[in-house]
Amino acid sequence: MANLLRTIGAEVMDWSHATDCCGAGLSLGRPDVVQNLVGRLVERARETGAQALATACPLCQVNLEMRQPSKNKMPAFYFTELLGLAFGLPEAKQWCGST
């Protein structure tokens, strides 16, 4: 995925948690665990200088958006949203919440 993102012009940060799971399988039964995992992922991403997160898993994308602490949220994108933006699809701005 890093190569794909670089190809469309994204700056990809190297970080040790790049393939860690957000705990999506625990979303309903243990949202507290998922919130902790998401918080750790976001914190580690910030430490690398990242400005956003990209994922190949739609459940991770949802959790990364919904389960972050409410202050100073980091944007999370499903990789197809970024592809749509890179290819200039007008609909992509709606997917990403951009105007």
Side-chain angles (χ1 to χ4, degrees):
M1 187 159 108
N3 288 337
L4 176 66
L5 294 174
R6 284 186 188 102
T7 299
I8 63 170
E11 180 182 357
V12 178
M13 312 305 280
D14 290 324
W15 63 308
S16 61
H17 291 69
T19 59
D20 283 9
C21 180
C22 72
L26 301 170
S27 289
L28 295 176
R30 293 296 310 269
D32 57 319
V33 172
V34 176
Q35 189 166 5
N36 286 334
L37 290 169
V38 165
R40 186 180 68 210
L41 287 170
V42 172
E43 184 179 318
R44 297 298 177 264
R46 286 191 197 287
E47 289 173 358
T48 69
Q51 297 176 351
L53 295 158
T55 179
C57 172
L59 292 175
C60 286
Q61 191 266 337
V62 168
N63 275 329
L64 288 166
E65 285 189 344
M66 290 178 43
R67 306 265 187 218
Q68 284 186 55
S70 58
K71 77 173 200 180
N72 201 19
K73 285 189 173 190
M74 180 177 283
F77 298 97
Y78 187 53
F79 78 99
T80 57
E81 294 176 312
L82 299 175
L83 291 174
L85 287 172
F87 296 147
L89 298 177
E91 303 87 2
K93 289 183 180 182
Q94 294 173 338
W95 305 335
C96 298
S98 303
T99 56

Coordinates of all heavy atoms in Angstrom, one line a residue:
M1 N 0.8 -1.2 0.0 CA 0.0 0.0 0.0 C 0.9 1.3 0.0 O 0.5 2.2 -0.6 CB -0.9 0.0 1.2 CG -1.9 1.2 1.1 SD -3.4 1.0 2.1 CE -3.0 2.2 3.3
A2 N 2.0 1.2 0.7 CA 2.9 2.4 0.7 C 3.3 2.8 -0.7 O 3.3 4.0 -1.0 CB 4.1 2.1 1.6
N3 N 3.6 1.8 -1.5 CA 4.0 2.1 -2.9 C 2.9 2.7 -3.7 O 3.1 3.6 -4.5 CB 4.5 0.8 -3.6 CG 5.9 0.4 -3.1 OD1 6.7 1.2 -2.5 ND2 6.2 -0.9 -3.2
L4 N 1.7 2.2 -3.5 CA 0.5 2.8 -4.2 C 0.3 4.2 -3.8 O 0.1 5.1 -4.6 CB -0.7 1.9 -3.8 CG -2.0 2.5 -4.4 CD1 -2.1 2.4 -5.9 CD2 -3.2 1.7 -3.8
L5 N 0.4 4.5 -2.5 CA 0.2 5.9 -2.0 C 1.3 6.8 -2.5 O 1.1 7.9 -2.9 CB 0.1 5.9 -0.5 CG -1.1 5.2 0.1 CD1 -1.0 5.1 1.6 CD2 -2.4 5.8 -0.3
R6 N 2.5 6.3 -2.5 CA 3.6 7.1 -3.1 C 3.4 7.4 -4.5 O 3.7 8.5 -5.0 CB 5.0 6.4 -2.9 CG 5.5 6.5 -1.5 CD 6.9 5.9 -1.4 NE 7.3 5.8 0.0 CZ 7.3 4.7 0.7 NH1 6.9 3.5 0.2 NH2 7.6 4.7 2.0
T7 N 2.9 6.4 -5.3 CA 2.7 6.6 -6.7 C 1.7 7.7 -7.0 O 1.8 8.4 -8.0 CB 2.2 5.3 -7.3 OG1 3.2 4.3 -7.1 CG2 1.9 5.4 -8.8
I8 N 0.7 7.9 -6.1 CA -0.3 9.0 -6.3 C 0.1 10.3 -5.7 O -0.6 11.3 -5.7 CB -1.7 8.6 -5.9 CG1 -1.7 8.3 -4.4 CG2 -2.2 7.4 -6.7 CD1 -3.1 8.2 -3.8
G9 N 1.4 10.3 -5.1 CA 1.9 11.6 -4.6 C 1.8 11.8 -3.2 O 2.2 12.9 -2.7
A10 N 1.4 10.8 -2.4 CA 1.4 10.9 -0.9 C 2.8 10.7 -0.4 O 3.6 9.9 -0.8 CB 0.4 9.9 -0.3
E11 N 3.1 11.5 0.7 CA 4.3 11.2 1.4 C 4.0 10.2 2.5 O 3.1 10.4 3.4 CB 4.8 12.5 2.1 CG 6.0 12.3 2.9 CD 6.5 13.6 3.6 OE1 5.9 14.7 3.4 OE2 7.5 13.5 4.3
V12 N 4.6 9.1 2.4 CA 4.3 8.0 3.3 C 5.4 8.0 4.4 O 6.6 7.9 4.1 CB 4.3 6.6 2.6 CG1 4.1 5.5 3.5 CG2 3.2 6.6 1.5
M13 N 4.9 8.0 5.7 CA 5.9 8.0 6.8 C 6.2 6.5 7.2 O 5.3 5.7 7.2 CB 5.2 8.7 8.0 CG 4.6 10.0 7.7 SD 5.7 11.2 6.9 CE 6.6 11.8 8.3
D14 N 7.4 6.3 7.5 CA 7.8 4.9 8.0 C 7.5 4.9 9.5 O 8.0 5.8 10.2 CB 9.3 4.7 7.7 CG 9.5 4.4 6.2 OD1 8.7 3.8 5.5 OD2 10.6 4.9 5.7
W15 N 6.8 3.9 9.9 CA 6.5 3.8 11.4 C 6.2 2.4 11.7 O 5.8 1.6 10.9 CB 5.4 4.8 11.8 CG 4.1 4.6 11.2 CD1 3.8 4.5 9.9 CD2 2.8 4.4 11.9 NE1 2.4 4.3 9.7 CE2 1.8 4.3 10.9 CE3 2.5 4.5 13.2 CZ2 0.5 4.1 11.3 CZ3 1.2 4.3 13.6 CH2 0.2 4.1 12.6
S16 N 6.5 2.1 13.0 CA 6.4 0.7 13.4 C 5.0 0.1 13.5 O 4.8 -1.1 13.5 CB 7.1 0.5 14.8 OG 6.5 1.3 15.7
H17 N 4.0 1.0 13.5 CA 2.6 0.5 13.7 C 1.9 0.5 12.4 O 0.6 0.4 12.4 CB 1.9 1.4 14.7 CG 2.4 1.2 16.1 ND1 3.6 1.6 16.5 CD2 1.8 0.7 17.2 CE1 3.8 1.4 17.8 NE2 2.7 0.8 18.2
A18 N 2.5 0.6 11.3 CA 1.9 0.7 10.0 C 0.9 -0.4 9.6 O -0.1 -0.2 9.0 CB 2.9 0.8 8.9
T19 N 1.1 -1.6 10.2 CA 0.3 -2.7 9.8 C -0.5 -3.3 11.1 O -1.0 -4.3 11.0 CB 1.1 -3.9 9.2 OG1 2.1 -4.3 10.1 CG2 1.7 -3.4 7.9
D20 N -0.5 -2.5 12.1 CA -1.2 -2.9 13.4 C -2.7 -2.8 13.2 O -3.2 -1.9 12.5 CB -0.8 -2.1 14.6 CG 0.6 -2.5 15.1 OD1 1.3 -3.3 14.5 OD2 1.0 -1.9 16.2
C21 N -3.4 -3.7 13.8 CA -4.9 -3.7 13.7 C -5.5 -2.7 14.7 O -5.0 -2.5 15.8 CB -5.3 -5.1 14.0 SG -7.1 -5.3 13.9
C22 N -6.6 -2.2 14.3 CA -7.3 -1.2 15.2 C -8.2 -2.0 16.1 O -8.8 -1.4 17.0 CB -8.1 -0.3 14.4 SG -9.6 -1.0 13.6
G23 N -8.4 -3.3 15.9 CA -9.2 -4.1 16.8 C -10.7 -4.1 16.3 O -11.6 -4.3 17.1
A24 N -10.9 -4.0 15.0 CA -12.2 -3.9 14.5 C -13.2 -5.0 14.9 O -14.3 -4.8 15.1 CB -12.2 -3.8 13.0
G25 N -12.6 -6.2 15.1 CA -13.4 -7.3 15.5 C -14.0 -7.2 16.9 O -14.9 -7.9 17.3
L26 N -13.4 -6.2 17.7 CA -13.9 -6.0 19.0 C -14.8 -4.8 19.1 O -15.2 -4.4 20.2 CB -12.7 -5.8 20.0 CG -11.7 -7.0 20.0 CD1 -10.5 -6.6 20.8 CD2 -12.4 -8.2 20.7
S27 N -15.1 -4.2 18.0 CA -15.9 -2.9 18.0 C -17.2 -2.9 18.8 O -17.5 -2.0 19.5 CB -16.2 -2.5 16.6 OG -15.0 -2.0 16.0
L28 N -17.9 -4.0 18.7 CA -19.2 -4.1 19.4 C -19.1 -4.6 20.8 O -19.7 -4.0 21.7 CB -20.2 -5.0 18.6 CG -20.6 -4.5 17.2 CD1 -21.5 -5.5 16.5 CD2 -21.3 -3.2 17.3
G29 N -18.3 -5.6 21.0 CA -18.2 -6.2 22.3 C -17.3 -5.4 23.3 O -17.5 -5.4 24.5
R30 N -16.2 -4.8 22.8 CA -15.2 -4.2 23.6 C -14.7 -2.9 23.0 O -13.6 -2.7 22.6 CB -14.0 -5.1 23.8 CG -14.2 -6.4 24.6 CD -14.6 -6.1 26.0 NE -13.7 -5.2 26.8 CZ -12.7 -5.6 27.5 NH1 -12.3 -6.8 27.6 NH2 -11.9 -4.6 28.1
P31 N -15.6 -1.9 22.9 CA -15.2 -0.6 22.3 C -14.1 0.1 23.1 O -13.4 0.9 22.5 CB -16.5 0.2 22.3 CG -17.5 -0.5 23.2 CD -17.0 -1.9 23.3
D32 N -14.0 -0.2 24.4 CA -13.0 0.4 25.2 C -11.6 -0.1 24.7 O -10.7 0.7 24.6 CB -13.2 0.0 26.6 CG -13.2 -1.5 26.9 OD1 -13.8 -2.2 26.1 OD2 -12.6 -1.9 27.9
V33 N -11.5 -1.3 24.3 CA -10.2 -1.9 23.8 C -9.9 -1.2 22.5 O -8.8 -0.8 22.2 CB -10.3 -3.4 23.7 CG1 -9.0 -3.9 23.0 CG2 -10.4 -4.0 25.1
V34 N -10.9 -1.1 21.6 CA -10.7 -0.5 20.3 C -10.3 0.9 20.5 O -9.4 1.4 19.8 CB -12.0 -0.6 19.4 CG1 -11.8 0.1 18.1 CG2 -12.3 -2.1 19.2
Q35 N -10.9 1.7 21.4 CA -10.5 3.1 21.6 C -9.1 3.2 22.0 O -8.4 4.1 21.5 CB -11.5 3.7 22.6 CG -11.3 5.2 22.7 CD -12.4 5.9 23.4 OE1 -13.3 5.2 23.9 NE2 -12.4 7.2 23.4
N36 N -8.6 2.3 22.9 CA -7.2 2.3 23.3 C -6.3 2.0 22.1 O -5.2 2.7 22.0 CB -7.0 1.3 24.4 CG -7.6 1.8 25.7 OD1 -7.7 3.0 26.0 ND2 -7.9 0.9 26.6
L37 N -6.6 1.0 21.3 CA -5.8 0.7 20.2 C -5.7 1.8 19.2 O -4.7 2.2 18.7 CB -6.3 -0.6 19.5 CG -6.1 -1.9 20.3 CD1 -6.9 -3.0 19.6 CD2 -4.7 -2.3 20.4
V38 N -6.9 2.4 18.9 CA -6.9 3.5 18.0 C -6.1 4.7 18.5 O -5.3 5.3 17.8 CB -8.4 3.9 17.7 CG1 -8.5 5.3 17.0 CG2 -9.1 2.9 16.8
G39 N -6.3 5.0 19.8 CA -5.5 6.1 20.4 C -4.0 5.9 20.3 O -3.3 6.8 20.0
R40 N -3.6 4.6 20.5 CA -2.1 4.3 20.3 C -1.7 4.5 18.9 O -0.6 5.0 18.6 CB -1.8 2.9 20.8 CG -0.3 2.6 20.9 CD 0.0 1.3 21.4 NE -0.5 0.3 20.4 CZ -0.9 -0.9 20.6 NH1 -0.9 -1.4 21.9 NH2 -1.3 -1.7 19.7
L41 N -2.5 4.0 17.9 CA -2.1 4.2 16.5 C -2.0 5.6 16.1 O -1.0 6.0 15.5 CB -3.1 3.5 15.6 CG -3.1 2.0 15.6 CD1 -4.4 1.4 14.9 CD2 -1.9 1.4 15.0
V42 N -2.9 6.4 16.5 CA -2.9 7.9 16.2 C -1.7 8.5 16.9 O -1.0 9.3 16.2 CB -4.3 8.5 16.6 CG1 -4.2 10.0 16.4 CG2 -5.4 8.0 15.7
E43 N -1.5 8.2 18.1 CA -0.3 8.8 18.8 C 1.0 8.5 18.1 O 1.8 9.4 17.9 CB -0.3 8.3 20.3 CG 0.7 8.9 21.1 CD 0.7 8.4 22.5 OE1 -0.4 8.2 23.1 OE2 1.8 8.1 23.1
R44 N 1.2 7.2 17.8 CA 2.4 6.8 17.1 C 2.5 7.5 15.7 O 3.6 7.9 15.3 CB 2.5 5.3 16.9 CG 2.5 4.6 18.2 CD 3.8 4.9 19.1 NE 3.8 4.3 20.3 CZ 3.4 4.8 21.5 NH1 2.9 6.0 21.5 NH2 3.4 4.1 22.6
A45 N 1.4 7.6 15.0 CA 1.4 8.3 13.7 C 1.8 9.7 13.9 O 2.7 10.3 13.1 CB 0.0 8.2 13.0
R46 N 1.3 10.4 14.9 CA 1.7 11.8 15.1 C 3.2 11.9 15.4 O 3.8 12.9 15.0 CB 0.9 12.4 16.3 CG -0.5 12.7 15.9 CD -1.2 13.5 17.1 NE -2.6 13.5 17.0 CZ -3.3 14.1 16.1 NH1 -2.8 14.9 15.2 NH2 -4.7 14.0 16.1
E47 N 3.7 11.0 16.2 CA 5.1 11.0 16.5 C 6.0 11.0 15.3 O 7.1 11.5 15.3 CB 5.5 9.8 17.4 CG 5.0 10.0 18.8 CD 5.2 8.7 19.7 OE1 5.7 7.7 19.2 OE2 4.8 8.8 20.8
T48 N 5.5 10.4 14.2 CA 6.3 10.3 12.9 C 6.2 11.6 12.1 O 6.9 11.8 11.1 CB 5.9 9.1 12.0 OG1 4.6 9.4 11.5 CG2 6.0 7.8 12.8
G49 N 5.2 12.4 12.5 CA 5.0 13.6 11.7 C 3.8 13.5 10.7 O 3.6 14.4 9.9
A50 N 3.1 12.4 10.8 CA 2.0 12.2 9.9 C 0.9 13.2 10.1 O 0.6 13.6 11.3 CB 1.4 10.8 10.1
Q51 N 0.2 13.5 9.0 CA -1.0 14.5 9.1 C -2.3 13.8 8.9 O -3.3 14.3 9.1 CB -0.8 15.6 8.1 CG 0.4 16.4 8.3 CD 0.7 17.4 7.3 OE1 0.0 17.4 6.2 NE2 1.6 18.3 7.5
A52 N -2.2 12.5 8.4 CA -3.4 11.7 8.2 C -3.1 10.2 8.2 O -1.9 9.9 8.1 CB -4.1 12.1 6.9
L53 N -4.1 9.4 8.3 CA -3.9 8.0 8.2 C -4.6 7.4 7.0 O -5.7 7.9 6.6 CB -4.5 7.3 9.5 CG -3.8 7.7 10.8 CD1 -4.8 7.4 12.0 CD2 -2.6 6.8 11.0
A54 N -4.0 6.4 6.4 CA -4.6 5.7 5.2 C -4.7 4.3 5.6 O -3.7 3.7 6.1 CB -3.8 6.0 4.0
T55 N -5.8 3.6 5.2 CA -5.9 2.2 5.5 C -6.5 1.5 4.3 O -7.2 2.0 3.5 CB -6.8 2.0 6.7 OG1 -7.0 0.6 7.0 CG2 -8.2 2.7 6.6
A56 N -6.2 0.2 4.3 CA -6.8 -0.7 3.2 C -7.9 -1.5 3.8 O -8.5 -2.3 3.1 CB -5.7 -1.7 2.7
C57 N -8.3 -1.2 5.0 CA -9.4 -1.9 5.7 C -10.5 -0.9 6.0 O -10.3 0.0 6.7 CB -8.9 -2.6 7.0 SG -10.3 -3.3 8.0
P58 N -11.7 -1.2 5.5 CA -12.8 -0.2 5.7 C -13.2 -0.2 7.2 O -13.6 0.9 7.7 CB -14.0 -0.7 4.9 CG -13.6 -2.1 4.5 CD -12.1 -2.2 4.6
L59 N -13.1 -1.3 7.9 CA -13.4 -1.2 9.3 C -12.4 -0.4 10.1 O -12.7 0.3 11.1 CB -13.5 -2.6 9.9 CG -14.7 -3.5 9.4 CD1 -14.6 -4.9 9.9 CD2 -16.0 -2.8 9.8
C60 N -11.1 -0.5 9.7 CA -10.1 0.3 10.4 C -10.4 1.8 10.1 O -10.3 2.7 11.0 CB -8.7 0.0 9.9 SG -8.1 -1.5 10.5
Q61 N -10.8 2.1 8.9 CA -11.0 3.5 8.6 C -12.2 4.1 9.4 O -12.1 5.1 10.0 CB -11.4 3.7 7.1 CG -11.4 5.1 6.6 CD -12.8 5.7 6.6 OE1 -13.8 4.9 6.5 NE2 -12.9 7.0 6.6
V62 N -13.2 3.3 9.6 CA -14.4 3.7 10.4 C -13.9 3.9 11.9 O -14.2 4.9 12.5 CB -15.5 2.7 10.3 CG1 -16.6 3.0 11.4 CG2 -16.1 2.8 8.9
N63 N -13.2 2.9 12.4 CA -12.8 3.0 13.8 C -11.8 4.2 14.0 O -11.9 4.8 15.0 CB -12.1 1.7 14.2 CG -13.1 0.7 14.7 OD1 -14.1 1.0 15.2 ND2 -12.8 -0.6 14.5
L64 N -10.9 4.4 13.0 CA -9.9 5.5 13.2 C -10.7 6.8 13.2 O -10.2 7.8 13.8 CB -8.9 5.4 12.1 CG -7.9 4.3 12.3 CD1 -7.1 4.1 11.0 CD2 -7.0 4.5 13.4
E65 N -11.8 6.9 12.5 CA -12.6 8.1 12.5 C -13.4 8.2 13.8 O -13.5 9.3 14.4 CB -13.4 8.3 11.3 CG -12.7 8.6 10.0 CD -13.6 8.9 8.9 OE1 -14.8 8.6 8.9 OE2 -13.0 9.5 7.9
M66 N -14.1 7.1 14.1 CA -15.1 7.2 15.2 C -14.5 7.0 16.6 O -15.1 7.6 17.6 CB -16.1 6.1 15.0 CG -17.0 6.3 13.8 SD -18.2 4.9 13.6 CE -18.8 4.5 15.2
R67 N -13.4 6.3 16.8 CA -13.0 6.0 18.1 C -11.8 6.8 18.6 O -11.3 6.5 19.7 CB -12.6 4.5 18.2 CG -13.6 3.6 17.7 CD -14.5 3.0 18.8 NE -15.3 2.0 18.3 CZ -16.6 1.8 18.7 NH1 -17.0 2.6 19.6 NH2 -17.3 0.9 18.2
Q68 N -11.4 7.8 17.9 CA -10.4 8.7 18.4 C -11.0 9.7 19.4 O -12.1 10.0 19.4 CB -9.9 9.6 17.2 CG -8.9 9.0 16.3 CD -8.4 10.0 15.3 OE1 -7.8 11.0 15.7 NE2 -8.5 9.7 14.0
P69 N -10.1 10.1 20.4 CA -10.6 11.1 21.3 C -11.1 12.3 20.5 O -10.5 12.6 19.4 CB -9.3 11.4 22.1 CG -8.4 10.2 22.0 CD -8.8 9.7 20.6
S70 N -12.1 13.0 21.0 CA -12.7 14.0 20.2 C -11.9 15.3 20.0 O -12.1 16.0 19.0 CB -14.0 14.5 20.9 OG -13.8 14.9 22.2
K71 N -10.9 15.5 20.8 CA -10.0 16.7 20.5 C -8.9 16.4 19.5 O -8.3 15.3 19.6 CB -9.5 17.4 21.8 CG -8.4 16.7 22.4 CD -7.9 17.5 23.6 CE -6.5 17.1 23.9 NZ -5.9 17.8 25.0
N72 N -8.7 17.3 18.6 CA -7.5 17.2 17.7 C -7.5 15.8 16.9 O -6.5 15.1 16.9 CB -6.2 17.4 18.4 CG -5.1 17.8 17.5 OD1 -5.4 18.3 16.4 ND2 -3.9 17.7 18.0
K73 N -8.6 15.5 16.3 CA -8.7 14.2 15.5 C -7.8 14.3 14.3 O -7.7 15.3 13.6 CB -10.1 13.9 15.1 CG -11.0 13.5 16.2 CD -12.3 13.0 15.6 CE -13.1 12.4 16.7 NZ -14.3 11.7 16.2
M74 N -7.2 13.1 14.0 CA -6.4 13.0 12.8 C -7.3 12.4 11.7 O -7.9 11.4 12.0 CB -5.2 12.1 13.0 CG -4.3 11.9 11.8 SD -2.9 10.8 12.1 CE -1.8 12.0 12.9
P75 N -7.3 13.0 10.5 CA -8.1 12.4 9.4 C -7.7 11.0 9.1 O -6.5 10.6 9.1 CB -7.9 13.3 8.2 CG -7.2 14.5 8.8 CD -6.6 14.1 10.1
A76 N -8.7 10.1 8.8 CA -8.4 8.8 8.4 C -9.1 8.5 7.0 O -10.3 8.9 6.9 CB -8.9 7.8 9.4
F77 N -8.4 7.9 6.1 CA -8.9 7.7 4.7 C -8.8 6.3 4.4 O -7.8 5.6 4.6 CB -8.1 8.5 3.7 CG -8.2 10.0 3.9 CD1 -7.2 10.7 4.6 CD2 -9.3 10.7 3.5 CE1 -7.2 12.0 4.8 CE2 -9.3 12.1 3.7 CZ -8.3 12.8 4.4
Y78 N -9.8 5.8 3.7 CA -9.7 4.5 3.0 C -9.0 4.8 1.8 O -9.2 5.8 1.1 CB -11.1 4.0 2.8 CG -11.2 2.6 2.3 CD1 -10.6 1.5 2.9 CD2 -11.9 2.3 1.1 CE1 -10.6 0.2 2.4 CE2 -12.0 1.0 0.6 CZ -11.4 0.0 1.3 OH -11.4 -1.3 0.8
F79 N -8.1 3.9 1.4 CA -7.1 4.2 0.3 C -7.9 4.6 -1.0 O -7.4 5.3 -1.8 CB -6.1 3.1 0.0 CG -6.7 1.9 -0.7 CD1 -6.5 1.7 -2.1 CD2 -7.5 0.9 -0.1 CE1 -7.0 0.6 -2.7 CE2 -8.0 -0.2 -0.7 CZ -7.7 -0.3 -2.1
T80 N -9.1 4.0 -1.3 CA -9.8 4.4 -2.5 C -10.2 5.8 -2.5 O -10.4 6.4 -3.6 CB -11.0 3.4 -2.7 OG1 -11.9 3.5 -1.5 CG2 -10.6 2.0 -2.9
E81 N -10.4 6.4 -1.3 CA -10.8 7.8 -1.3 C -9.6 8.7 -1.8 O -9.8 9.6 -2.6 CB -11.1 8.3 0.1 CG -12.3 7.6 0.7 CD -12.6 8.0 2.1 OE1 -11.6 7.9 3.0 OE2 -13.7 8.4 2.5
L82 N -8.4 8.3 -1.4 CA -7.2 9.0 -1.9 C -7.0 8.8 -3.4 O -6.5 9.7 -4.1 CB -6.0 8.6 -1.0 CG -6.1 8.9 0.4 CD1 -4.9 8.3 1.2 CD2 -6.3 10.3 0.7
L83 N -7.2 7.6 -3.8 CA -7.1 7.3 -5.3 C -8.1 8.2 -6.1 O -7.7 8.8 -7.1 CB -7.4 5.8 -5.6 CG -6.4 4.8 -5.1 CD1 -6.9 3.4 -5.4 CD2 -5.0 5.1 -5.8
G84 N -9.3 8.3 -5.6 CA -10.3 9.1 -6.2 C -9.9 10.6 -6.3 O -10.0 11.3 -7.3
L85 N -9.3 11.1 -5.2 CA -8.8 12.5 -5.2 C -7.6 12.6 -6.2 O -7.6 13.6 -7.0 CB -8.3 12.9 -3.8 CG -9.4 13.1 -2.8 CD1 -8.8 13.3 -1.4 CD2 -10.2 14.3 -3.2
A86 N -6.7 11.7 -6.2 CA -5.6 11.7 -7.1 C -6.0 11.7 -8.6 O -5.4 12.3 -9.4 CB -4.6 10.6 -6.8
F87 N -7.0 10.9 -8.9 CA -7.5 10.8 -10.2 C -8.4 11.9 -10.6 O -8.9 12.0 -11.8 CB -8.2 9.5 -10.5 CG -7.2 8.3 -10.3 CD1 -7.7 7.1 -9.8 CD2 -5.9 8.4 -10.7 CE1 -6.9 6.0 -9.7 CE2 -5.0 7.3 -10.5 CZ -5.5 6.1 -10.0
G88 N -8.7 12.8 -9.7 CA -9.6 14.0 -10.0 C -11.1 13.7 -10.1 O -11.8 14.4 -10.8
L89 N -11.5 12.6 -9.5 CA -13.0 12.3 -9.6 C -13.7 13.3 -8.7 O -13.4 13.5 -7.5 CB -13.2 10.9 -9.0 CG -12.6 9.7 -9.7 CD1 -12.9 8.4 -9.0 CD2 -13.1 9.6 -11.2
P90 N -14.7 14.0 -9.3 CA -15.4 15.0 -8.6 C -16.1 14.5 -7.3 O -16.2 15.1 -6.3 CB -16.5 15.5 -9.6 CG -16.2 14.9 -10.9 CD -15.2 13.8 -10.7
E91 N -16.6 13.2 -7.4 CA -17.2 12.6 -6.2 C -16.3 12.4 -5.0 O -16.8 12.3 -3.9 CB -17.8 11.2 -6.6 CG -18.8 11.2 -7.8 CD -18.1 11.1 -9.1 OE1 -16.8 11.0 -9.2 OE2 -18.8 11.2 -10.2
A92 N -15.0 12.3 -5.3 CA -14.1 12.0 -4.2 C -14.1 13.1 -3.1 O -13.9 12.8 -2.0 CB -12.7 11.8 -4.8
K93 N -14.3 14.3 -3.5 CA -14.4 15.4 -2.5 C -15.5 15.1 -1.5 O -15.4 15.4 -0.3 CB -14.5 16.7 -3.1 CG -13.2 17.1 -3.9 CD -13.4 18.5 -4.5 CE -12.1 18.9 -5.2 NZ -12.1 20.2 -5.7
Q94 N -16.6 14.6 -1.9 CA -17.7 14.2 -1.0 C -17.3 13.1 -0.1 O -17.7 13.0 1.0 CB -19.0 13.9 -1.8 CG -19.5 15.1 -2.6 CD -20.7 14.7 -3.5 OE1 -20.8 13.5 -3.8 NE2 -21.5 15.6 -3.8
W95 N -16.6 12.1 -0.7 CA -16.2 10.9 0.1 C -15.3 11.3 1.3 O -15.4 10.8 2.3 CB -15.5 9.9 -0.7 CG -16.1 9.4 -2.0 CD1 -17.5 9.4 -2.2 CD2 -15.5 8.9 -3.1 NE1 -17.7 8.8 -3.5 CE2 -16.5 8.5 -4.0 CE3 -14.1 8.6 -3.4 CZ2 -16.2 8.0 -5.3 CZ3 -13.9 8.1 -4.6 CH2 -14.8 7.8 -5.6
C96 N -14.5 12.3 1.0 CA -13.5 12.7 2.0 C -13.9 13.8 2.9 O -13.2 14.3 3.7 CB -12.2 13.1 1.3 SG -11.5 11.7 0.3
G97 N -15.1 14.3 2.6 CA -15.6 15.4 3.4 C -14.9 16.7 3.1 O -15.0 17.7 3.8
S98 N -14.3 16.8 1.9 CA -13.7 18.0 1.4 C -14.7 18.9 0.7 O -15.7 18.4 0.2 CB -12.5 17.7 0.5 OG -11.6 16.9 1.1
T99 N -14.4 20.1 0.5 CA -15.3 21.0 -0.2 C -14.5 21.6 -1.4 O -13.3 21.5 -1.5 CB -15.8 22.2 0.6 OG1 -14.7 22.9 1.2 CG2 -16.7 21.7 1.7

